[in-house]
């Protein structure tokens, strides 16, 4: 059985992102607004040598026309969407948001990271056919 090098790359990158999110969480704790965690996480990702762009713009198309625009919290290595939250709890709307981001970007992997608890929460969302 052969390994998918792109999938392996994504797995390695998501592992680094998760590690950085734990470092940010352990340093800052919970209680800050999302933007604080975003800036700290981008800083940590770049320290690890990863390309990380905050507030990455994405357009949504319908029948060839732009029908919407939004900003991804962080795009890492042009292949991983990172959606940040600073909430008491995640719900299905947050997962749906990640899936829609993957469809719009045609990427396969999103990390949903919640800094709103004493221990950072993370969920890896994979869309096989974006």
């Amino acid at each position: 059985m052969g390994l998918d090098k792109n999938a392996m790359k994504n797995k390695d990158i998501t592992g680094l992102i998760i590690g950085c999110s734990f470092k940010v969480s352990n340093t800052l704790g919970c209680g800050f607004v999302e933007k604080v965690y975003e800036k700290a996480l981008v800083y940590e990702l770049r320290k690890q040598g990863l390309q990380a762009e905050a507030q990455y713009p994405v357009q949504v198309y319908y029948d060839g026309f732009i029908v919407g625009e939004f900003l991804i919290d962080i795009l890492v290595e042009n292949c991983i969407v990172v959606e940040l939250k600073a909430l008491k709890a995640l719900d299905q709307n947050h997962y749906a948001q990640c899936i829609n981001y993957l469809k719009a970007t045609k990427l396969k992997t999103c990390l949903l990271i919640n800094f709103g608890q004493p221990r950072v929460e993370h969920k890896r969302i994979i869309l096989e056919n974006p």
Side-chain angles (χ1 to χ4, degrees):
M1 177 162 72
L3 291 175
D4 180 347
K5 289 184 181 179
N6 288 332
M8 192 62 166
K9 179 183 175 190
N10 283 1
K11 186 176 180 184
D12 292 343
I13 294 169
T14 57
L16 284 171
I17 296 167
I18 291 166
C20 288
S21 71
F22 275 101
K23 183 170 185 181
V24 168
S25 178
N26 290 340
T27 302
L28 294 176
C30 63
F32 289 104
V33 296
E34 185 181 302
K35 185 61 84 179
V36 171
Y37 297 109
E38 177 184 292
K39 288 181 178 183
L41 184 55
V42 167
Y43 174 79
E44 278 301 321
L45 293 168
R46 289 177 178 164
K47 272 180 42 178
Q48 292 296 317
L50 294 171
Q51 178 188 1
E53 187 171 343
Q55 299 300 303
Y56 185 82
V58 175
Q59 297 175 329
V60 179
Y61 289 88
Y62 176 82
D63 198 25
F65 293 96
I66 297 171
V67 294
E69 298 179 75
F70 63 91
L71 299 172
I72 291 174
D73 288 337
I74 305 172
L75 181 63
V76 180
E77 292 291 317
N78 293 313
C79 64
I80 308 291
V81 173
V82 178
E83 177 60 22
L84 301 179
K85 301 295 179 192
L87 304 168
K88 185 175 181 179
L90 296 173
D91 64 34
Q92 290 302 317
N93 291 323
H94 303 123
Y95 295 98
Q97 180 182 18
C98 290
I99 290 169
N100 287 334
Y101 286 180
L102 292 175
K103 288 178 182 177
T105 59
K106 297 188 180 358
L107 296 174
K108 287 187 170 195
T109 307
C110 179
L111 278 178
L112 176 58
I113 300 173
N114 184 19
F115 289 98
Q117 296 290 320
R119 180 174 162 90
V120 70
E121 178 182 11
H122 60 88
K123 302 291 181 192
R124 187 181 283 127
I125 300 160
I126 310 284
L127 192 60
E128 291 301 322
N129 298 312

